[in-house]
Amino acid sequence: MRLRALLETEALGLRLLGGEDELDRTVRGVMTTDLRDPSRYLAGGELVLTGLAWRRDAEDSEPFVRILAGAGVAGLAAGEAELSAIPDDLVMACSRHRLPLFAVNESVAFATITEHVVRQVSGERAGDLAAVVDRHRRLMTSGPAGGGPEVVLDLLGSDLDLRAWVLSPTGRQIAGVGDPLTPEIGAALAAEHLGATRTGRRGPHRATVGGVAYSLFPIRNNGRGAAPAARDVRETVLSDWLLAVEADASDWPAARLDLLQGVTQLIAVERDRRDAARAVRRRLAQEVLELVQTGAAPAEIAARLRVAAPVLLPGLGTAPHWQVVVARVDWERDGGAEIEAGPVAQSLLEEILVDPAVVGIESSDRIAVAHAGDEAIALVPLPAPAPEAPESGLHADALLASVRSPLSAGLADDGRLTLGVSAAVHSAEGLRGALEEARHARRVAAARPGRVCAAGHHELASHVLLLPFVPDDVRRAFTARLLDPLRDYDRRHRAELIPTLEAFLDCDGSWTRCATRLHLHVNTLRYRVGRIEQLTGRDLSRLEDKLDFFLALRMS
């Protein structure tokens, strides 16, 4: 149990005097003492009760508290019966050593507190844990009416005084009891979990975020068929959920660890049940995708979309607009092993398309994702954009902003996620073009460095589309011919010709603006530009030469 639970139990008559930030400490026992040095009787984790008989003057508080803090006790509760009020020197000593301090009302006997703590702690250590697991199992196997993962998490809180959350691989909260985790904490925990999983460490994994310790338990997806030990971890790491428990499980007894493993199995049952329900949306997406790819008549595709729209966007009076998102997960081959990446990309894309701030499983119920080979393809419905917001819809960079850190940890040094987003289309005729557009955008993203990359439709009308596909040898030869003479000159003379060239082009060839930006006299700028032209044989007053320099800088 935690100190916080004791404070919230009114019958114990405890009043907090200091250490509010330490109330999540775990209480493993209780001890009553008035010895000046009780260290030989302390094992750590106790709530120490004292009547203050050891205190003769203010100088005694510091050594007493130092001994308790050194022994690792959970907190100190001092009775008010002896001195009527807790002395300030004891309050200050506890504050210095970050030891939570409680005042015990004189009407409450230490025996009452001792009995309560012993009953709670013994219930955790030697109580009927099997009965708790059975209770969880009955509730979970009673079907959706049982309440889903929230029921199990609620019982973890009420029976075992544990706060816990179920998180997606991107760190989004699937379920939890009490205050939800912030998206930032969720993403940080997911990154810790994925990174530890990729290194081969067995769970639970310990993580500290914001000064709070968490234990992270993997929730295996039971619906894959093969036993977990027979699968490559890369086939599951980006799709499995995790259970985050606000506690350090490193010193838990085997019985409690077994209990938490049982809880993860029960939640996995619920995950499988929700995945089965998701099959309807996946099938709709697969049917539309096959019609689009085989060149079916627009009328046939439109009919299928009319069937899909009420499922994916219920209550919408008019036909929605649609966007297509394509994602692919690629792994480096290891000893010829083939990794089935399509289903992982499908599950991951379904999660990426959910707002990370939205809590719950049902938030992905309006997303239909199919997969073809190693490629996942999402058909995303959008309400018709309002006149004042014609650019509404999905944006490539925004989709990955909050999930880049955890996914990079899961991809480690041998995986990549690339994603492309099409423009919105408002008819069946536009879906084929949107699919090709999203695929082109994904290929643009794949040509960029980094483990997690995305590109949107707006980049397909820019030189950005062309540059990634220039062969490396052509790229190196082109940039070397134009820029190497300037780099060599800069190394020898510290002339800063390359920065001058970049600023000159960025200012559209304006002498005044460029000189101002570089804090140079215009004559100095003219001298540098003249030197650039002399070294390269180019003329920066000509559009063609400006364009060549611009491209060389972008490709370098």
Side-chain angles (χ1 to χ4, degrees):
M1 68 178 304
R2 298 177 188 274
L3 288 174
R4 189 182 305 277
L6 292 175
L7 184 64
E8 294 171 352
T9 304
E10 295 183 4
L12 300 182
L14 297 178
R15 189 173 78 258
L16 183 66
L17 299 181
E20 184 176 359
D21 294 338
E22 306 292 330
L23 290 179
D24 286 324
R25 292 187 181 187
T26 299
V27 179
R28 298 185 177 89
V30 63
M31 176 191 178
T32 300
T33 184
D34 276 313
L35 295 173
R36 296 169 65 86
D37 182 2
S39 58
R40 74 186 72 179
Y41 305 109
L42 296 172
E46 296 92 349
L47 174 68
V48 174
L49 305 175
T50 181
L52 300 177
W54 51 266
R55 181 184 178 276
R56 298 184 180 89
D57 55 46
E59 302 299 324
D60 293 335
S61 292
E62 172 64 25
F64 181 78
V65 172
R66 183 170 61 249
I67 289 170
L68 297 187
V73 305
L76 173 64
E80 294 180 320
E82 184 74 19
L83 301 177
S84 300
I86 307 303
D88 292 340
D89 49 272
L90 180 60
V91 175
M92 293 175 63
C94 288
S95 177
R96 282 192 296 272
H97 291 278
R98 301 181 63 85
L99 181 66
L101 175 63
F102 303 89
V104 182
N105 189 282
E106 60 181 6
S107 64
V108 178
F110 282 178
T112 301
I113 300 175
T114 301
E115 180 184 354
H116 178 84
V117 173
V118 169
R119 185 171 62 250
Q120 294 296 321
V121 172
S122 63
E124 291 181 0
R125 289 179 176 171
D128 193 2
L129 292 178
V132 174
V133 174
D134 287 341
R135 183 182 177 196
H136 293 174
R137 194 177 302 279
R138 287 196 304 272
L139 286 165
M140 284 297 295
T141 57
S142 63
E150 289 82 1
V151 172
V152 177
L153 301 185
D154 185 55
L155 289 171
L156 285 179
S158 61
D159 290 8
L160 301 178
D161 194 27
L162 293 175
R163 295 209 304 163
W165 302 265
V166 177
L167 304 178
S168 78
T170 67
R172 187 179 65 85
Q173 182 171 318
I174 302 296
V177 176
D179 295 335
L181 294 176
T182 66
E184 293 76 18
I185 293 178
L189 291 175
E192 292 279 354
H193 172 73
L194 292 174
T197 301
R198 285 306 314 276
T199 63
R201 287 161 46 200
R202 297 186 60 184
H205 308 125
R206 186 183 186 280
T208 302
V209 178
V212 179
Y214 299 87
S215 295
L216 310 176
F217 295 79
I219 299 174
R220 305 298 184 194
N221 190 342
N222 296 329
R224 300 272 178 85
R231 296 198 299 260
D232 189 309
V233 67
R234 291 174 292 183
E235 292 187 2
T236 62
V237 67
L238 295 178
S239 57
D240 284 340
W241 291 353
L242 67 133
L243 176 67
V245 180
E246 190 180 312
D248 185 353
S250 59
D251 59 350
W252 280 6
R256 175 163 286 210
L257 288 174
D258 289 344
L259 169 63
L260 267 293
Q261 296 294 351
V263 168
T264 65
Q265 293 171 10
L266 298 179
I267 296 175
V269 171
E270 182 68 14
R271 166 76 185 269
D272 292 342
R273 183 180 296 135
R274 300 303 177 102
D275 279 351
R278 184 177 290 178
V280 174
R281 299 186 299 279
R282 289 177 170 176
R283 187 169 63 249
L284 283 173
Q286 199 73 41
E287 290 173 355
V288 174
L289 174 62
E290 291 173 359
L291 290 174
V292 171
Q293 293 191 128
T294 57
E300 186 178 359
I301 300 174
R304 185 60 60 187
L305 288 176
R306 283 194 294 272
V307 173
V311 176
L312 302 177
L313 210 60
L316 192 67
T318 59
H321 289 203
W322 302 88
Q323 271 182 289
V324 176
V325 182
V326 174
R328 182 181 174 108
V329 175
D330 291 289
W331 302 102
E332 295 177 6
R333 298 304 181 209
D334 182 11
E338 292 293 330
I339 301 173
E340 191 177 3
V344 175
Q346 181 182 40
S347 177
L348 186 57
L349 184 54
E350 286 171 337
E351 180 58 37
I352 289 173
L353 291 173
V354 179
D355 184 342
V358 173
V359 174
I361 301 175
E362 290 76 8
S363 52
S364 61
D365 284 352
R366 297 178 182 180
I367 297 168
V369 181
H371 77 85
D374 289 341
E375 193 177 63
I377 302 165
L379 187 66
V380 183
L382 303 170
E388 64 274 13
E391 296 298 322
S392 61
L394 302 176
H395 296 273
D397 291 337
L399 285 176
L400 297 181
S402 62
V403 301
R404 193 178 303 275
S405 174
L407 294 186
S408 296
L411 293 163
D413 57 358
D414 61 352
R416 291 197 75 205
L417 168 68
T418 52
L419 184 145
V421 181
S422 78
V425 296
H426 64 279
S427 66
E429 290 86 346
L431 274 181
R432 186 177 182 86
L435 176 58
E436 291 305 314
E437 191 173 58
R439 281 175 165 160
H440 279 305
R442 192 205 65 78
R443 286 193 286 271
V444 170
R448 295 171 174 167
R451 291 291 167 192
V452 181
C453 299
H457 59 90
H458 60 282
E459 298 181 63
L460 303 185
S462 165
H463 67 277
V464 174
L465 172 65
L466 302 176
L467 294 184
F469 301 102
V470 177
D472 288 343
D473 54 344
V474 175
R475 183 194 302 260
R476 286 191 294 268
F478 182 75
T479 57
R481 189 176 300 114
L482 280 174
L483 301 182
D484 279 2
L486 307 182
R487 291 176 178 139
D488 291 341
Y489 191 87
D490 280 348
R491 278 195 295 269
R492 293 196 307 270
H493 302 284
R494 297 182 181 180
E496 299 188 350
L497 296 185
I498 291 290
T500 300
L501 175 62
E502 291 175 333
F504 186 72
L505 295 175
D506 195 43
C507 292
D508 298 323
S510 169
W511 297 100
T512 304
R513 282 194 289 128
C514 184
T516 301
R517 175 181 294 189
L518 296 175
H519 305 290
L520 298 175
H521 192 279
V522 172
N523 289 340
T524 304
L525 176 61
R526 290 185 185 276
Y527 171 80
R528 288 188 183 181
V529 170
R531 178 64 67 184
I532 292 170
E533 294 173 334
Q534 179 185 15
L535 291 170
T536 61
R538 298 300 186 104
D539 182 355
L540 278 169
S541 65
R542 297 178 67 246
L543 175 61
E544 293 86 347
D545 288 341
K546 287 180 181 178
L547 181 59
D548 283 348
F549 277 121
F550 174 79
L551 293 174
L553 289 168
R554 291 301 297 267
M555 289 191 294
S556 63

